[in-house]
Amino acid sequence: MIYQSFLKPFSDRLVALLAFTALSPVFLIVMIILALANAGTPFFTQLRLGLHGSIFKIIKFKTMNDKKDAAGNLLPDGKRLTSSGKWIRKTSLDEIPQLLNVLKGDMSIVGPRPSLPEYLPLYTPEQAKRHKVKPGMTGWAQINSEVIGQQAVV
C-alpha cells in the first residue's frame, strides 16, 4: 500500500520533473514552431478519464489546425494535420506536455492510456478496472509494441 500511495506518485513526479527539465529546450522550440503554425495556439487540451473515472484535462502539443468546411465543420484529421505536426507526432514530441499532467498528479508515467469520457459507459466491468489506477503517458501496449489485437512488426 505504501508503494501505491507514496512511492509510485513520488517516483512519477520525480521522473516527470527530471524529464521536463531535460526536455525544456525541446519543449520551448516545439512550442514556438507550433505557435507559428497554429496562429498562436501551440497546445491542445481534451477531457480524459482518470483515476476512479474522474475527468481531467490532458495537455498535448497541437499538431492539427482548426480549418473548417463551408458548413463550419472541422475538416477530417488528415487534412488538418500540419507538416510540422506530422514530424512532431512521428517523433512523439507531442507527448512532452503530458509531463505536466504527471506533475499535477492527474497521470502516471506508466499506466493505461487515458480514454475519452464518452467511452466510460461502454466498458465491461473487467475493462473498467483500468480506472483503478492513474492513466499513464505510456502503457503495456506501447511498451510491447502491440497494435490493436496483433503484434506489430518492430
Side-chain angles (χ1 to χ4, degrees):
M1 197 61 156
I2 198 163
Y3 172 77
Q4 193 173 18
S5 62
F6 177 74
L7 291 176
K8 175 80 165 109
F10 176 78
S11 62
D12 280 337
R13 286 186 168 127
L14 180 62
V15 168
L17 181 62
L18 293 172
F20 192 77
T21 301
L23 294 170
S24 61
V26 175
F27 179 88
L28 290 172
I29 291 167
V30 172
M31 188 176 75
I32 291 167
I33 290 168
L34 291 175
L36 295 171
N38 294 315
T41 54
F43 299 106
F44 167 77
T45 60
Q46 188 176 47
L47 297 179
R48 295 291 179 100
L49 291 170
L51 182 64
H52 305 302
S54 63
I55 296 176
F56 72 98
K57 280 187 182 179
I58 194 170
I59 184 167
K60 295 179 93 171
F61 278 126
K62 186 175 181 179
T63 56
M64 291 190 283
N65 60 38
D66 296 321
K67 291 184 180 176
K68 298 179 180 178
D69 62 18
N73 300 310
L74 286 174
L75 293 175
D77 291 354
K79 294 192 179 211
R80 295 187 303 123
L81 186 61
T82 64
S83 56
S84 58
K86 286 179 190 175
W87 178 78
I88 289 166
R89 281 188 179 188
K90 185 177 180 181
T91 57
S92 296
L93 294 174
D94 60 322
E95 307 288 340
I96 294 173
Q98 289 177 57
L99 291 167
L100 298 172
N101 287 112
V102 175
L103 289 171
K104 283 178 47 185
D106 293 331
M107 291 178 69
S108 183
I109 297 292
V110 178
R113 290 294 292 154
S115 55
L116 297 168
E118 52 264 30
Y119 294 135
L120 187 58
L122 304 175
Y123 287 122
T124 66
E126 182 68 21
Q127 292 168 329
K129 288 180 181 178
R130 71 188 325 224
H131 298 113
K132 289 185 176 185
V133 295
K134 285 183 185 177
M137 289 182 62
T138 190
W140 186 88
Q142 290 83 12
I143 291 170
N144 289 292
S145 300
E146 178 132 325
V147 178
I148 308 177
Q150 62 185 17
Q151 192 67 28
V153 179
V154 182

